[in-house]
Amino acid sequence: MTLFQVGGVGKRFGGLVAVDGVSFSIAAGEVLGIIGPNGAGKTTLFNLMTGLLKPTQGDIVFRGESIGGRRPSQIAARGMARTFQNIRLFNSLTVMDNVLVGGHTQLGDKFWGAFFHTKAFQRQQENLRKEAERVLRIVSLDDKRDDLAGSLPYGAQRRLEIARALMSKPTLLLLDEPAAGMNTGERAGLIETIRTIQASGLTLALIEHDMKFIMSLCERIVVIDHGQKIFDGTPEGAKADRRVIEAYLGAEE
Amino acid sequence: MMNNPASDTAVSPHQSRALPIALATAALLVLPWLVTNDYYLRIIVLSGFYIVLAVSLNITTGFTGLLSVGHAAFFGIGAYITALLTVGAEWSFWPAFLLSAAASAAVGAALGFVSIRLRGDYLAIATICFAEVLRLLALNWISVTRGPMGVPGIPAPRLFGVSLDSQQAFYYLIGVAVVLVIYTAHVIQASPFGRALFALRDNEMAAEAMGIDTRLYKVAAFTTGAMFAGLAGSLYAPWLTFISPDNFSYLESVMILCMLIVGGLGNIWGVAFGAVLLTFSLEILRPFETFRMAIYGALLVALMIYRPQGLFGNLGWKALRQNIGSRFGKGRGPAREPTP
Amino acid sequence: MVDYLLQQLLNGLVIGSFLALMTVGFSMTYGVIRLANFAHGDIGYMMGVYVAVSAYFAGVPIALALVVGLGFAALLGLVVVRVAYKPVFFAPRLVMLLTTIGVSIFLENLAMVIWGAQARPFPVPVDNPFIKVGSVRLFLLQGVVIAVTVLLAISMHVLVHHTRLGKSMRATAEDMETAKIMGINVNRVVYGTFLLGTFLGSVAGILAAVYYNSISPLMGFTPTLKAFCIAVLGGIGSLPGALVGGVLMGIVEALGAGYIHSGFRDGFAYLLLFVFLVFLPNGLFGKSRERA
């Protein structure tokens, strides 16, 4: 079953074409890798998928509904969550609160419940907190829950972003270079974490540079170069594909 | 304890804290009868007004990071609506009071909505322009506002046939407003609503991606702040009995902002204390009018240089410094990112 | 009818000249170090004039007194940036903003303490004959204001595009870190920018004082606010933007005051600025590099 579909999507910044008529789909339950040389337009594509940018052409369909012009918050509420390549945590909040913000789509703001301190409100908060602790355990940050997010080491910050995204109970989770800046040990841990997440029934798409990382996680990859899709298939297929090889060799020159 | 709604969801007092709180409440309740000097009682009431203003601006600027330098305008809207309705149209106070708060909130919502794309300096300037337009309107639309002559003879509110025109009565009136604004600020801080505001302050893009409609929340933050300022203004008019556009100038807005800084941005009790501190020190120095303001300007600069996190500090600020320190060394960080 | 309009347009051009000079200074410092200097008008525009007037009262011939005022303002700009602004260069925006507001409050009230709070006339009466161009009266002072502005604008253009300091300024505005790596003495650039900016501001202040025949300790506040908005409107750091924006603003003000309500003159300006900020935060020409 197709969960998510990009149809001929393009994005132009002035004269610069960052993404040029890209189409692909993501099936429910799969882990899709999106790769490509630096500056190929991967992050722009992610921003289009999550609504941070509006496409200049084409359409994006998520869970059977077009989300092309929607606001990111509306798309998030439909069950899409993401992490950022350059970490974007709420630095002055605690680890716990960062994750609880992720629960926003589950709960809303509940201002009046809080104002009158209702029983129902307290119960919901308690449930949310329990859920947050569970999510923090998945990324092994449960012992850091009262630390400020801004004070965490780099790798922990990346994991916290994943936890925050998980907290919104997404059907589709987009990870933008989740392993960037991590050492080998941390990467192995991250792969384990992502496998756990996948096993719980989530659909994932991730942008990554590290081919080994991609190979060990993804059944299918999409390769982007100069804003265009140049390959869509298995990782093994990509290794043998002439255009993919050229794109990478060309970029390394 | 700010920014940490996680650790104290409990708004209800702890058993062990019940006694001191009861004592403090009792002390505050009898205070106006102990202070026999009318001058000091006036300053105490005045600080009540500034507490409401500072704590409400703290919701907009401290919690949400929206740099507003036009808070006095909302104060003025509330004051003028109440003054004009009770004097000119001879309304009784209470409906005028409700309408003042509502109108101020509505204008706040409108301002928040139109300036949704602005941040930092740009928002600051836009709010100054907005406040100045309103002040100049009050100054020049003489047929309605009487312009620079102001509105005199504003009657005191009446409750069950009793005129609440004594200093003590206003103490209790503004006291209720103070309790209400501080309680609301605490509720916001400890609720998912407040968490969303903090998130939006720390990183707007991430907040939006987590499902928070940042536009809505910015407008909500503006509206809440404006509503309380309007409410305070509505009480301020009958308290002074005479208001003019001069009462709601740009300097007033800056003053309120300074109270936030002195108390520590985001820190509710700190901000309330900052309001009291600044009100008292400026009132006591009033005989030295221009000197006082020159000193105030110099002290503001000194405070910014040596203790920008306020007298009591706040966690948000610490996090900011810590974060910058850890990545860029020596606490000297990127100048542009941090909030607000 | 047409005469009245032309006369108002001419008035607008003069007002616009003051604003343009203010804006160039403001925009330069904002462009180079992203510091919205709320005390800009107090340092140059106001203090320069007062010092010049004081020097005149102390017996200095007026021409020399004006030079003293200009020099003092430029120097004051340096002192303020060194003492008050430098420590907060890397602080969050709110801190920078309140620092400049603090300096502004300090200077305004210091001026009131020294010279009194009341507005007063410029002490030297200036002969102000006019010539008739068609039926529009062009006063000598108006001619002087416009000529000085044009002259300074040309000098600034040359300075920014054809001197070492100008190149360093542009490089620093583009990217301070890179400028540092390229061996530019960023501190010197910042001081230079402030020196120039306050100098231009005090020229505007002196021209305005003579033209309106009025000085007051609060005369710097409104032009500063307008300068910020015009800087945004014309594109931060853009010289032509500041000139065009300033003149545009001046004309709107003059027309609003002339045709609708003279007391609400500044109100029109603020309203327009507010609308522009809200709807065109990237400036008329989309040049502004940042929005926050």
Side-chain angles (χ1 to χ4, degrees):
Chain A
M1 193 194 85
T2 304
L3 178 70
F4 182 88
Q5 197 165 13
V6 190
V9 159
K11 178 68 186 177
R12 184 185 281 281
F13 297 104
L16 181 84
V17 183
V19 173
D20 186 8
V22 170
S23 304
F24 63 88
S25 59
I26 306 174
E30 80 170 324
V31 181
L32 175 77
I34 299 174
I35 64 168
N38 268 329
K42 303 181 298 283
T43 293
T44 308
L45 186 63
F46 248 39
N47 287 343
L48 290 169
M49 290 160 72
T50 47
L52 285 173
L53 293 173
K54 283 192 174 41
T56 36
Q57 64 177 74
D59 196 23
I60 302 170
V61 177
F62 176 47
R63 297 172 73 184
E65 198 177 310
S66 168
I67 55 167
R70 296 286 178 81
R71 285 182 65 76
S73 53
Q74 294 171 318
I75 296 172
R78 279 189 68 76
M80 193 190 299
R82 71 169 291 175
T83 66
F84 294 88
Q85 183 190 346
N86 44 349
I87 301 171
R88 291 181 175 274
L89 288 169
F90 309 122
N91 285 337
S92 68
L93 301 188
T94 61
V95 166
M96 185 53 147
D97 280 334
N98 266 272
V99 177
L100 287 173
V101 171
H104 188 83
T105 52
Q106 302 295 303
L107 251 187
D109 55 46
K110 292 282 178 288
F111 178 77
W112 294 111
F115 195 85
F116 295 111
H117 214 63
T118 59
K119 276 269 165 344
F121 170 75
Q122 282 168 292
R123 205 165 41 241
Q124 275 176 323
Q125 292 306 301
E126 205 36 57
N127 291 340
L128 201 66
R129 194 166 292 274
K130 275 192 194 126
E131 173 65 14
E133 292 193 357
R134 190 186 68 82
V135 169
L136 281 174
R137 269 195 301 277
I138 296 179
V139 296
S140 353
L141 281 174
D142 43 332
D143 54 335
K144 293 242 178 358
R145 80 178 71 126
D146 294 326
D147 290 12
L148 292 176
S151 68
L152 291 181
Y154 185 79
Q157 291 198 351
R158 286 228 171 268
R159 295 207 304 278
L160 179 54
E161 273 216 328
I162 296 177
R164 185 179 65 182
L166 280 180
M167 188 65 190
S168 68
K169 298 219 166 105
T171 37
L172 176 61
L173 176 58
L174 306 178
L175 305 174
D176 195 349
E177 302 204 15
M182 285 188 172
N183 62 34
T184 327
E186 286 173 326
R187 272 166 201 243
L190 184 62
I191 290 177
E192 277 315 303
T193 308
I194 293 176
R195 287 223 173 97
T196 317
I197 294 168
Q198 186 199 6
S200 69
L202 245 72
T203 308
L204 285 115
L206 49 102
I207 292 178
E208 197 36 77
H209 275 304
D210 181 357
M211 284 303 276
K212 249 197 271 169
F213 191 87
I214 288 273
M215 297 292 173
S216 53
L217 275 171
C218 307
E219 301 109 42
R220 187 163 74 90
I221 59 175
V222 165
V223 186
I224 307 284
D225 187 30
H226 293 300
Q228 290 175 325
K229 185 175 90 168
I230 57 170
F231 179 84
D232 188 341
T234 61
E236 289 72 29
K239 269 187 189 164
D241 188 273
R242 197 176 47 80
R243 289 181 68 188
V244 175
I245 295 166
E246 269 172 19
Y248 270 89
L249 287 180
E252 272 164 31
E253 267 178 305
Chain B
M1 242 18 275
M2 84 143 275
N3 290 350
N4 197 359
S7 62
D8 58 11
T9 22
V11 181
S12 52
H14 237 264
Q15 283 286 314
S16 59
R17 277 160 56 190
L19 186 66
I21 286 177
L23 283 177
T25 311
L28 285 172
L29 279 176
V30 298
L31 184 68
W33 307 100
L34 298 178
V35 180
T36 46
N37 182 327
D38 198 52
Y39 172 66
Y40 285 113
L41 191 54
R42 273 192 81 83
I43 303 181
I44 291 172
V45 175
L46 184 63
S47 20
F49 283 106
Y50 281 110
I51 293 176
V52 177
L53 288 171
V55 174
S56 60
L57 181 64
N58 190 39
I59 295 170
T60 315
T61 302
F63 287 1
T64 322
L66 300 168
L67 189 40
S68 164
V69 198
H71 209 51
F74 300 115
F75 191 43
I77 290 173
Y80 259 92
I81 289 182
T82 300
L84 295 174
L85 286 179
T86 53
V87 175
E90 294 186 349
W91 283 35
S92 75
F93 174 78
W94 300 104
F97 173 76
L98 292 180
L99 189 72
S100 298
S104 186
V107 176
L111 177 65
F113 182 75
V114 296
S115 55
I116 231 156
R117 291 194 300 163
L118 302 177
R119 309 200 66 192
D121 298 339
Y122 283 32
L123 182 61
I125 292 284
T127 52
I128 294 177
C129 287
F130 157 82
E132 282 293 292
V133 168
L134 283 190
R135 192 180 65 85
L136 289 167
L137 202 65
L139 211 50
N140 286 288
W141 196 6
I142 293 171
S143 59
V144 174
T145 64
R146 296 173 45 92
M149 295 166 309
V151 187
I154 302 159
R158 300 179 71 85
L159 197 62
F160 307 121
V162 184
S163 173
L164 305 174
D165 57 357
S166 68
Q167 211 56 245
Q168 281 87 355
F170 274 102
Y171 175 88
Y172 292 119
L173 281 174
I174 195 67
V176 171
V178 166
V179 170
L180 189 64
V181 74
I182 290 185
Y183 179 73
T184 308
H186 270 288
V187 166
I188 289 174
Q189 180 174 282
S191 76
F193 175 70
R195 210 152 47 211
L197 297 183
F198 299 145
L200 141 63
R201 173 193 67 190
D202 277 12
N203 198 314
E204 197 172 333
M205 193 192 271
E208 180 76 38
M210 290 329 295
I212 295 167
D213 185 342
T214 51
R215 291 185 310 184
L216 184 72
Y217 279 74
K218 280 183 182 181
V219 173
F222 255 113
T223 312
T224 315
M227 186 190 75
F228 279 107
L231 182 149
S234 177
L235 286 170
Y236 192 63
W239 182 63
L240 277 186
T241 70
F242 167 80
I243 56 164
S244 80
D246 288 346
N247 294 112
F248 312 103
S249 69
Y250 151 83
L251 275 180
E252 286 292 307
S253 297
V254 171
M255 183 86 71
I256 303 166
L257 212 48
C258 289
M259 292 166 177
L260 259 66
I261 300 293
V262 167
L265 210 58
N267 179 339
I268 299 170
W269 289 107
V271 162
F273 183 79
V276 175
L277 188 72
L278 274 188
T279 313
F280 266 82
S281 47
L282 284 169
E283 278 306 313
I284 286 164
L285 292 174
R286 191 170 279 287
F288 316 94
E289 185 53 36
T290 43
F291 261 115
R292 151 186 103 122
M293 290 309 288
I295 294 169
Y296 165 65
L299 281 180
L300 176 56
V301 174
L303 184 73
M304 286 302 103
I305 295 175
Y306 297 108
R307 201 151 170 87
Q309 71 274 45
L311 297 181
F312 315 104
N314 71 64
L315 270 171
W317 180 270
K318 233 183 261 167
L320 218 73
R321 286 275 122 167
Q322 226 173 22
N323 188 28
I324 292 167
S326 68
R327 285 214 209 145
F328 299 93
K330 302 255 158 78
R332 271 286 161 100
R336 317 308 161 196
E337 270 272 37
T339 50
Chain C
M1 272 309 284
V2 177
D3 296 343
Y4 186 67
L5 177 67
L6 285 175
Q7 196 69 57
Q8 293 301 335
L9 284 178
L10 183 63
N11 288 345
L13 194 60
V14 174
I15 300 172
S17 297
F18 302 139
L19 293 178
L21 285 178
M22 278 292 284
T23 307
V24 172
F26 187 95
S27 191
M28 281 193 329
T29 46
Y30 197 88
V32 170
I33 46 169
R34 298 290 183 277
L35 177 94
N37 183 9
F38 271 80
H40 182 60
D42 301 306
I43 302 171
Y45 201 82
M46 185 270 287
M47 288 300 267
V49 176
Y50 268 98
V51 169
V53 169
S54 295
Y56 173 73
F57 279 131
V60 180
I62 187 66
L64 192 61
L66 290 182
V67 175
V68 169
L70 290 176
F72 178 85
L75 218 67
L76 183 63
L78 273 189
V79 171
V80 166
V81 76
R82 180 66 194 86
V83 174
Y85 295 170
K86 196 148 186 297
V88 297
F89 271 0
F90 297 97
R93 273 180 188 284
L94 175 65
V95 172
M96 292 214 294
L97 187 82
L98 280 176
T99 308
T100 70
I101 289 179
V103 170
S104 157
I105 294 173
F106 173 73
L107 289 177
E108 281 169 13
N109 289 281
L110 188 71
M112 287 189 205
V113 170
I114 303 176
W115 294 296
Q118 293 304 313
R120 47 167 146 169
F122 192 75
V124 189
V126 179
D127 235 8
N128 194 12
F130 61 84
I131 48 168
K132 276 207 156 192
V133 182
S135 52
V136 176
R137 289 192 282 186
L138 173 67
F139 286 89
L140 174 68
L141 279 179
Q142 293 180 322
V144 170
V145 168
I146 294 168
V148 169
T149 304
V150 170
L151 200 72
L152 283 174
I154 294 171
S155 325
M156 283 308 295
H157 179 83
V158 172
L159 189 133
V160 168
H161 289 275
H162 301 284
T163 67
R164 253 183 80 91
L165 176 64
K167 279 176 194 154
S168 311
M169 272 165 59
R170 279 185 294 147
T172 310
E174 201 65 49
D175 184 345
M176 192 182 274
E177 289 308 310
T178 314
K180 256 184 210 159
I181 293 165
M182 281 159 52
I184 291 172
N185 184 338
V186 172
N187 275 335
R188 195 180 294 166
V189 171
V190 169
Y191 293 145
T193 311
F194 261 88
L195 197 93
L196 272 171
T198 26
F199 170 77
L200 292 176
S202 65
V203 172
I206 286 172
L207 289 175
V210 176
Y211 182 75
Y212 294 122
N213 191 23
S214 164
I215 60 176
S216 107
L218 295 177
M219 65 193 276
F221 173 70
T222 306
T224 307
L225 215 52
K226 289 177 187 165
F228 185 110
C229 300
I230 297 166
V232 171
L233 185 66
I236 296 292
S238 157
L239 190 60
L243 294 173
V244 174
V247 169
L248 211 66
M249 193 72 233
I251 288 173
V252 169
E253 240 188 274
L255 293 183
Y259 283 96
I260 310 179
H261 189 305
S262 64
F264 199 57
R265 169 192 295 268
D266 287 335
F268 290 118
Y270 293 136
L271 200 61
L272 187 77
L273 298 169
F274 180 76
V275 168
F276 268 118
L277 267 180
V278 164
F279 293 103
L280 284 172
N282 291 321
L284 272 182
F285 315 112
K287 267 190 181 168
S288 169
R289 275 183 303 273
E290 68 164 2
R291 199 197 270 172

